[in-house]
Amino acid sequence: MAAHAHRRQVLLFLAAILLPCSVLVALGLRMTVQERELAENRLADERRQVMRQLRQELSSLLERITLQQATAIAAQPERLQAFEYDDPEVALVARISDGQLVLPWQHDDGPARARRLLEQGEFAGRVGQAEHEEFVTGGLERAADLYREAMELAQHPVQRVQARLSLARTLDRIGRRGNASAAYRAVLAAASDVTDEYGVPVSLYAAGRLLEGGLADEAVLGGLRGPLDEPRWPSPATLYMLRDLAGSFVEKATDADLRQGAELLSRRVSSLLERTERALALQRDFSRLGLTRAEGAATQQGDGWIPYGAPAWLVGAAPSIDGQDGGVVAVRAGPVLASLQGGTTSSRELVAEVTLASEGTSAGEPLGPDFPGLAVSFTSTDPSASAAGWNVRRWFYLLGLFLVVSVTLFGAYLLWRDVRRELQLAEMRSRFVSAVSHELKTPLTSIRMFAETLHMGRPADPDGQAEYLETIVNESERLTRLLNNILDFSKIEQGKKTYRREPHDVAEIVRSTARAMRYPLEQQRFQLHVEVEEDIPPVRVDRDAVEQAILNLLANAMKYSGDSRDIELRLRAEDGSALIEVSDRGVGIEPAEQARIFERFYRVGSPDNQRIPGTGLGLTLVRHIVRAHDGRVTVRSSPGKGSTFSIHLPLEGARS
């Protein structure tokens, strides 16, 4: 039935709105297309001439940049590992090997050399013994001696610096802070080309330990600058570590000049790291860019420049980078395009601007097959002529289009609102049925289990049988309370719920409710602290309804007490009302949720609450009962500290 109603709504929406709107849009498009055709025929030749000029200028510029880089690297092959180039528009120069892109830092053999040196013979054995003593047996003094012996056996700076770093760490763990600091500073002074097997300068590890000890001085800052003072492109691992260390230095530096220097270093590292991450992404996507032929050889220069990333690079293949392999040159698109006569080329009636064409859009005209992803957008040099072109028909079309969009959006909003409302209601019903099923299953399971046990004649002693019978009775009462909640809610929804209000002793009602909850509280090892103020005048209430409200609050307190096992039930007279309070020391309620917890079916959506069974009706019934007695219910709660629910029932003499 609901599906049929939805289909009918959609059909009515299509027939009443979309069909007339489509006709109106088609007529408007027909008028504007006819006008555009006249203007486009007149300017077609001029566009072709301007685009030919742009292609020639851009091709010449990129060819000059590529040949300049290839020539420089041919003269100095080590420049292939550099991260700074003579031309500031160049972002990356890399080789192609076996159809794969080889990035500048991947030419560095330092990590492999470090791995071989650290695994050599007697030095590696002595370090292994020291690490066993340090991390396995706990002999830190013996480990320190073994690291010193390893330093004496070291035959290369990589071995010596690694052993000294391990010695500093061991001295730090022993508690010799001064000796450890001196050792760390010695490692900090090591050259940046002394790296570990991951390509990270060993001096950075020492800088990190000194910063952890609160030593943010000029020597540490100089150690951080070291990797960027080298001509080689640092590895990604080095840059990530430098970024973290520079940030830590800024936080711990007390000298303003040092902090400013660290901030400048942090910005420089971030810029280079952004370029490094772009290079890594280019390496991953290289095979799909089409810059290599099927057999893996590089394409010839001029086969195409492809925009990549944002802000974009123009990536093109070079015939040779180091005299042996082909390569790739990436230039920053923004400065290159801006250099084409300030980014624009003018003709008699047009201004043409080269831009990056967004994916999936048709803005502008493609520049040509050599520049996929670049487009040329044209604007008129005579704004007044363009303004005069907006005649009555165009204004009529714009007004009609605005009306179409407005009516369509409004109709879509109404349809979306109705569908969302039905989906929310269906979801609440589903959650309610699931919760009720779970709540019913628990007491029914207990009743059946204990009844079957009694039926089998166990236990034989009268005390055990009495305990089992008491459990069955209490679970039956629990089941009755749940069903009463559901039935009362149904009556409330239908407007048929009535209350028989008669004078009653509120203190007796509170005590009776506490007795009714004694068994479930004891079963879960709760302590209920009852404080009742005597001599409170009788109140005209429906006794069963008020008991049900208090029972619901106590049941809620049990569910949401967390690890706490203390619940307080208090009664006192205050401001002309009988005040009934139920307090727990449990999970509490966020302030933003406190206004909604009395709504029907609503439950706080935290993961912990979702694991707690409940129907979402208890507090709704409490509010309805209290309001029917001319009272009010309030809540005070703090997350992690518990909640206090208060029922205010007006005393007979305080009512106006």
Side-chain angles (χ1 to χ4, degrees):
M1 196 68 183
H4 178 71
H6 288 168
R7 285 196 297 269
R8 185 173 60 186
Q9 288 176 344
V10 172
L11 290 175
L12 288 174
F13 179 72
L14 292 174
I17 298 178
L18 292 187
L19 186 58
C21 291
S22 300
V23 173
L24 181 61
V25 171
L27 292 175
L29 287 175
R30 179 182 177 85
M31 290 186 294
T32 55
V33 166
Q34 289 176 346
E35 292 184 2
R36 280 202 302 268
E37 286 177 353
L38 295 175
E40 289 174 357
N41 290 335
R42 181 168 49 85
L43 299 176
D45 291 339
E46 191 171 355
R47 284 198 183 99
R48 286 193 290 270
Q49 180 182 355
V50 170
M51 292 183 67
R52 185 164 49 250
Q53 178 187 353
L54 287 172
R55 282 195 296 269
Q56 291 174 353
E57 291 182 3
L58 186 56
S59 296
S60 299
L61 177 60
L62 294 174
E63 181 179 358
R64 176 186 61 78
I65 292 174
T66 301
L67 291 178
Q68 179 183 0
Q69 296 304 316
T71 303
I73 292 175
Q76 296 178 301
E78 65 274 8
R79 291 173 63 88
L80 192 59
Q81 302 182 37
F83 66 90
E84 293 182 346
Y85 304 100
D86 295 336
D87 195 327
E89 297 170 356
V90 178
L92 175 69
V93 179
R95 285 193 327 164
I96 300 175
S97 179
D98 296 328
Q100 300 295 322
L101 197 63
V102 182
L103 298 176
W105 61 86
Q106 294 175 335
H107 296 282
D108 187 9
D109 61 350
R113 183 178 65 249
R115 191 176 295 108
R116 290 194 304 271
L117 290 171
L118 295 177
E119 294 175 354
Q120 282 182 357
E122 190 174 355
F123 172 81
R126 198 60 50 86
V127 171
Q129 295 174 7
E131 291 176 345
H132 184 272
E133 289 290 336
E134 180 182 359
F135 298 111
V136 178
T137 64
L140 297 179
E141 293 286 356
R142 175 59 179 161
D145 293 337
L146 290 171
Y147 283 131
R148 293 188 184 96
E149 293 177 11
M151 290 174 58
E152 295 175 359
L153 293 172
Q155 299 178 354
H156 191 276
V158 171
Q159 296 174 329
R160 188 175 303 107
V161 171
Q162 284 282 12
R164 189 182 299 276
L165 180 64
S166 299
L167 173 62
R169 181 187 64 233
T170 306
L171 293 173
D172 197 8
R173 294 180 64 186
I174 293 174
R176 300 178 186 174
R177 308 296 183 194
N179 294 338
S181 178
Y184 280 133
R185 289 190 179 277
V187 175
L188 183 67
S192 296
D193 60 353
V194 178
T195 65
D196 62 5
E197 60 270 33
Y198 305 106
V200 179
V202 182
S203 59
L204 293 185
Y205 295 104
R209 288 307 188 101
L210 291 171
L211 283 174
E212 289 177 4
L215 299 175
D217 54 18
E218 183 66 38
V220 175
L221 183 58
L224 297 181
R225 290 194 182 109
L228 296 187
D229 292 337
E230 296 288 330
R232 296 184 307 277
W233 195 315
S235 67
T238 301
L239 291 174
Y240 283 119
M241 191 170 184
L242 267 176
R243 181 187 64 183
D244 296 339
L245 292 176
S248 178
F249 193 100
V250 170
E251 294 177 359
K252 296 186 178 181
T254 56
D255 184 83
D257 292 337
L258 291 178
R259 187 184 301 109
Q260 184 178 8
E263 291 172 349
L264 291 174
L265 175 64
S266 179
R267 288 194 290 269
R268 187 181 178 194
V269 170
S270 297
S271 176
L272 184 55
L273 185 57
E274 180 182 357
R275 188 148 58 106
T276 300
E277 291 174 342
R278 179 82 62 82
L280 287 169
L282 177 61
Q283 184 184 52
R284 291 192 300 269
D285 298 337
F286 182 70
S287 59
R288 69 174 179 81
L289 295 181
L291 293 176
T292 56
R293 290 200 173 99
E295 61 270 18
T299 62
Q300 295 300 314
Q301 184 179 349
D303 281 351
W305 289 83
I306 301 173
Y308 184 81
W313 290 352
L314 290 178
V315 182
S320 177
I321 286 296
D322 58 1
Q324 297 179 359
D325 299 321
V328 163
V329 175
V331 299
R332 296 177 176 87
V336 169
L337 298 182
S339 66
L340 296 177
Q341 299 181 4
T344 60
T345 298
S346 299
S347 69
R348 183 169 54 87
E349 296 187 16
L350 295 174
V351 175
E353 183 176 1
V354 182
T355 58
L356 296 169
S358 301
E359 257 186 62
T361 66
S362 57
E365 298 183 21
L367 185 58
D370 291 344
F371 303 100
L374 293 183
V376 181
S377 58
F378 293 92
T379 56
S380 175
T381 58
D382 187 0
S384 61
S386 299
W390 287 102
N391 52 27
V392 175
R393 285 179 295 175
R394 291 187 177 182
W395 280 112
F396 174 76
Y397 170 70
L398 289 176
L399 181 61
L401 184 60
F402 174 76
L403 182 62
V404 167
V405 172
S406 300
V407 173
T408 302
L409 291 178
F410 182 69
Y413 165 73
L414 294 178
L415 183 60
W416 168 78
R417 186 187 63 177
D418 291 343
V419 172
R420 185 186 64 170
R421 184 180 300 166
E422 292 188 11
L423 289 176
Q424 288 177 343
L425 183 58
E427 183 181 358
M428 287 192 299
R429 287 172 178 169
S430 176
R431 288 201 303 263
F432 173 72
V433 171
S434 176
V436 169
S437 300
H438 180 77
E439 289 283 306
L440 291 174
K441 182 178 179 181
T442 302
L444 287 174
T445 301
S446 299
I447 292 171
R448 179 174 180 178
M449 179 185 69
F450 285 105
E452 289 179 350
T453 304
L454 289 172
H455 181 69
M456 295 168 60
R458 295 181 298 179
D461 59 298
D463 292 339
Q465 292 178 356
E467 181 182 354
Y468 278 28
L469 288 172
E470 185 178 4
T471 301
I472 292 173
V473 170
N474 282 280
E475 290 298 321
S476 299
E477 291 176 351
R478 176 183 171 188
L479 187 60
T480 300
R481 287 195 298 271
L482 176 61
L483 293 175
N484 285 339
N485 279 345
I486 298 172
L487 293 174
D488 286 347
F489 177 75
S490 176
K491 292 179 180 179
I492 290 171
E493 289 287 285
Q494 299 173 16
K496 298 179 180 179
K497 179 63 178 175
T498 58
Y499 299 97
R500 294 180 300 175
R501 299 175 60 178
E502 298 175 354
H504 286 283
D505 184 357
V506 184
E508 175 56 29
I509 294 176
V510 171
R511 293 191 185 95
S512 174
T513 305
R515 288 193 298 270
M517 289 296 291
R518 180 181 60 81
Y519 180 79
L521 288 167
E522 290 177 353
Q523 287 294 102
Q524 299 186 36
R525 297 188 298 278
F526 276 94
Q527 292 289 331
L528 178 61
H529 306 280
V530 181
E531 298 179 12
V532 176
E533 181 179 312
E534 302 298 338
D535 301 328
I536 296 179
V539 180
R540 291 182 57 82
V541 296
D542 185 318
R543 179 187 179 102
D544 293 337
V546 173
E547 285 186 357
Q548 183 180 5
I550 301 173
L551 287 172
N552 285 348
L553 293 181
L554 290 173
N556 259 22
M558 293 172 62
K559 290 179 181 179
Y560 298 102
S561 282
D563 296 331
S564 172
R565 284 297 179 266
D566 288 319
I567 299 176
E568 297 178 5
L569 174 60
R570 297 183 293 271
L571 169 65
R572 68 176 184 274
E574 181 179 285
D575 297 332
S577 297
L579 178 62
I580 304 171
E581 293 182 327
V582 176
S583 300
D584 63 70
R585 299 183 180 90
V587 297
I589 308 169
E590 294 287 346
E593 303 284 353
Q594 293 179 19
R596 301 196 60 193
I597 58 176
F598 294 98
E599 297 177 7
R600 61 175 182 173
F601 304 128
Y602 183 79
R603 304 189 68 210
V604 177
S606 67
D608 292 335
N609 285 353
Q610 295 302 321
R611 292 192 292 268
I612 299 174
T615 61
L617 296 181
L619 292 178
T620 304
L621 291 173
V622 171
R623 182 176 63 176
H624 186 273
I625 291 170
V626 174
R627 286 182 175 178
H629 288 79
D630 303 322
R632 58 190 175 91
V633 58
T634 60
V635 58
R636 302 190 309 275
S637 182
S638 298
K641 297 182 180 179
S643 306
T644 297
F645 287 85
S646 303
I647 295 176
H648 303 257
L649 297 175
L651 296 174
E652 191 70 22
R655 295 165 59 188
S656 58

